[in-house]
């Protein structure tokens, strides 16, 4: 046992030395790289996991359009969006514009309302552009209110169709795998789905369709490990009952579902953490432990929500933005490796919680010992990817090579995946980082930067708008 400990300590020391050695090379590469080359380098960088990801907000508008207009991918359904109004357009609520429904829902509308809906396949070019833009936060003046009040209601029936839901899941998996991700933990459910005639799918039917889609070669061959969380809307009137149902579901499906999450805008005070303390204690008396990752501290002002969310049993905190305003809890987390803060830089900027990212708490948390990782949150509605998060972090906070590697490792160390798979993912990540270092350590700095010519990075609207990158907007 003593010999094993010595070997492990030696390996850890060598890993640290190796990271430090490449750190100087990384600094030289950063200094010499153009912004586009730095982005390409980070796109090729091996990454750990994306742990904070709302599936409903993760789907790019172009992906949704492609699936909704292709009957071979959407189960033979037809989709309509509300685009043509009898009243003056400025008299129509923003939430009504682009509201999207399935054929069976459309058939139930009155003739007058049907005339305001247009089949996606019959839209004009201008209507299509408007529909696409209606699902992303990309215009001046858009922010938190547009996101919460307009974008989500517009989704309508999109995620009610199981074929659409699972095709969009496949698009996410393929895009993340292309960025070098190893593990994806989505807030994703399969209950409450409906056939084209709106009769409900049973849970067994939905699970069978899900597993069949994940088994197809385009997804399976990516090698990306995928697990799910079930999410409870915490400010709902019946949130305690929903939490109990969700707990039972996850307990019964632990092969795919690994955790409970609670979300919902914190400004709505009805979802305060202590509301659920007795419910969680009752559930823990009934079921073996389930991990909890709960949104907390996504607020403009200090409060005790993070501390009280830890009391619920959470071992991961989503956002944690106002943690610096609670020094006692900050000190607790600085001296404990148990709790990870899931950082979402682009989300926090676009939703105006941290409009000036130079004032974000991320670097203070990172550099005072609080475990953190980078995540995409609602990447489809930001029109962004995980590389955008890394590029934002590197350019705003001067991240070192050791810090970049630690972010990926933290995401896997704190993943809720089963332990044998976690060990494999960590070993694979370490090996990939070593190979990456060796590749870019060879030759001169100019030689290393020339290797980036063989990388085909992908960026979307966020990268185009904010940095002017010329890279293609493709799914993979």
């Amino acid at each position: 046992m003593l010999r094993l400990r010595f070997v492990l300590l030696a390996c850890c020391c060598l890993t640290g030395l190796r990271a430090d050695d490449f750190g100087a090379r990384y600094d030289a590469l950063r200094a010499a790289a153009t912004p586009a080359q730095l982005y390409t380098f980070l796109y090729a960088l091996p990454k750990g996991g994306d742990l904070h990801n709302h599936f409903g907000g993760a789907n790019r508008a172009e992906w949704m359009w492609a699936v909704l207009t292709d009957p071979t991918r959407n189960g033979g359904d037809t989709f309509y969006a509300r685009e043509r109004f009898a009243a003056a357009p400025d008299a129509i609520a923003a939430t009504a514009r682009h509201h999207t429904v399935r054929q069976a829902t459309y058939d139930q509308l009155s003739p007058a309302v049907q005339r305001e809906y247009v089949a996606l396949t019959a839209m004009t070019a201008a209507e299509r552009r408007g529909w696409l833009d209606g699902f992303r936060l990309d215009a001046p003046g858009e922010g938190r209110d547009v996101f919460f009040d307009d974008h989500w209601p517009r989704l309508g029936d999109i995620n009610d169709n199981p074929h659409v839901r699972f095709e969009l899941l496949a698009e996410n998996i393929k895009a993340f795998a292309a960025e070098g991700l190893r593990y994806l933990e989505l807030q994703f459910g399969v209950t409450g789905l409906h056939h084209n005639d709106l009769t409900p799918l049973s849970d067994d039917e939905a699970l069978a369709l899900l597993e069949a889609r994940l088994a197809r070669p385009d997804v399976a061959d990516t090698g990306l490990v995928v697990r799910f969380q079930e999410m409870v809307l915490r400010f709902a009137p019946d949130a305690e009952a929903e939490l109990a149902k969700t707990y039972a579901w996850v307990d019964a499906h632990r092969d795919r579902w690994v955790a409970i999450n609670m979300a919902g805008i914190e400004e709505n005070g009805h979802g305060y953490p202590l509301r659920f303390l007795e419910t969680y204690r009752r559930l823990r008396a009934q079921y073996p432990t389930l991990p909890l990752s709960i949104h907390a501290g996504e607020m403009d002002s200090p409060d005790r929500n993070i501390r009280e969310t830890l009391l619920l049993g959470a071992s991961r905190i989503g956002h944690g933005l106002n943690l610096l305003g609670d020094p006692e809890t900050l000190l607790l987390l600085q001296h404990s490796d148990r709790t990870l803060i899931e950082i979402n830089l682009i989300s926090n900027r676009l939703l105006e919680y941290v409009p000036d990212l130079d004032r974000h708490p991320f670097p203070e948390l990172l550099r005072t010992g609080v475990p953190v990782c980078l995540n995409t949150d609602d990447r489809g509605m930001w029109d962004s990817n995980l590389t955008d998060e890394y590029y934002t972090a590197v350019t705003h906070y001067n991240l070192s090579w050791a810090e970049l590697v630690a972010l990926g490792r933290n995401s896997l160390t704190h993943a809720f995946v089963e332990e044998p798979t976690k060990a494999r993912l960590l070993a694979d990540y370490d090996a990939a980082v070593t190979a990456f270092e060796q590749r870019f350590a060879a030759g001169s700095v100019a030689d290393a930067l020339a290797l980036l010519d063989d990388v085909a990075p992908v960026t979307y609207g966020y990268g185009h708008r904010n940095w002017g990158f010329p890279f293609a907007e493709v799914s993979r």
Side-chain angles (χ1 to χ4, degrees), residues 362-378:
F362 164 67
E364 178 71 6
L365 301 178
L366 171 71
R367 290 163 178 161
T368 61
V370 179
V372 291
C373 69
L374 296 175
N375 309 273
T376 62
D377 202 9
D378 294 282

Side-chain angles (χ1 to χ4, degrees), residues 68 177 332 417 429:
L68 297 178
L332 173 69
V417 69
Y429 176 73

